[in-house]
């Protein structure tokens, strides 16, 4: 019973932290509670009484909806943002992908076959 109680406390703290970050972004973006509820496809009462106060967890669908609204889901979930980090810049990743593909295309056929059969060789 003690472990279960501890897990419930941890989950409650996590829900509260996530909801605090959602509210922070909501206020910065100037979304009303009704706007949020509509976008998340929940009732305004559920949003204000449960989600906003951290009494319920946000679903994957709600997080996806917030991402579509322009919310930084990484920040919401873990409290850290990767926006603007060069390591996570999409254009850099695409450039790297094209460079790797160019190198692979110039490999001998037998080596390319091994890479396709054993993708762990790229590690």
């Amino acid at each position: 019973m003690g472990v279960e109680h501890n897990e419930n406390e941890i989950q409650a703290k996590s829900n509260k932290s996530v909801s605090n970050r959602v509210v922070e972004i909501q206020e910065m973006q100037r979304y009303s509670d009704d706007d949020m509820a509509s976008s998340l496809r929940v009732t305004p009462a559920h949003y204000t009484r449960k989600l906003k106060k951290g009494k319920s967890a946000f679903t994957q669908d709600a997080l996806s909806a917030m991402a579509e609204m322009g919310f930084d889901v990484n920040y919401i979930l873990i409290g850290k943002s990767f926006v603007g980090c060069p390591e996570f810049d999409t254009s850099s990743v695409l450039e790297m992908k094209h460079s790797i593909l160019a190198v692979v295309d110039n490999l001998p056929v037998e080596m390319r076959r091994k890479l396709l059969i054993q993708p762990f060789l790229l590690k």
Side-chain angles (χ1 to χ4, degrees):
M1 182 96 175
V3 173
E4 184 178 312
H5 182 68
N6 192 27
E7 288 176 8
N8 290 339
E9 285 179 17
I10 292 169
Q11 185 62 47
K13 285 180 184 178
S14 176
N15 289 349
K16 187 65 178 160
S17 296
V18 167
S19 66
N20 287 342
R21 290 189 287 267
V22 169
V23 171
E24 176 187 339
I25 297 171
Q26 174 190 350
E27 290 172 356
M28 285 179 8
Q29 299 288 338
R30 297 187 178 169
Y31 282 105
S32 70
D33 288 351
D34 287 343
D35 291 336
M36 291 295 293
S38 175
S39 295
L40 302 181
R41 296 184 185 98
V42 297
T43 65
H46 181 71
Y47 179 72
T48 56
R49 292 184 191 145
K50 298 286 184 174
L51 294 172
K52 193 173 176 180
K53 293 182 179 180
K55 293 181 180 178
S56 290
F58 287 93
T59 64
Q60 185 174 351
D61 289 339
L63 292 167
S64 294
M66 285 186 274
E68 289 175 14
M69 296 166 68
F71 286 37
D72 183 347
V73 178
N74 286 315
Y75 176 71
I76 289 170
L77 292 174
I78 62 173
K80 294 183 181 180
S81 177
F82 297 109
V83 174
C85 291
E87 302 87 37
F88 296 98
D89 181 18
T90 315
S91 61
S92 300
V93 172
L94 288 176
E95 286 176 27
M96 198 177 343
K97 177 183 173 185
H98 291 297
S99 298
I100 292 169
L101 290 175
V103 169
V104 170
D105 284 344
N106 290 319
L107 291 173
V109 174
E110 191 57 36
M111 281 194 93
R112 278 189 283 171
R113 216 175 268 136
K114 284 182 182 178
L115 288 174
L116 292 173
I117 294 170
Q118 300 174 358
F120 63 87
L121 292 175
L122 292 173
K123 290 183 181 178

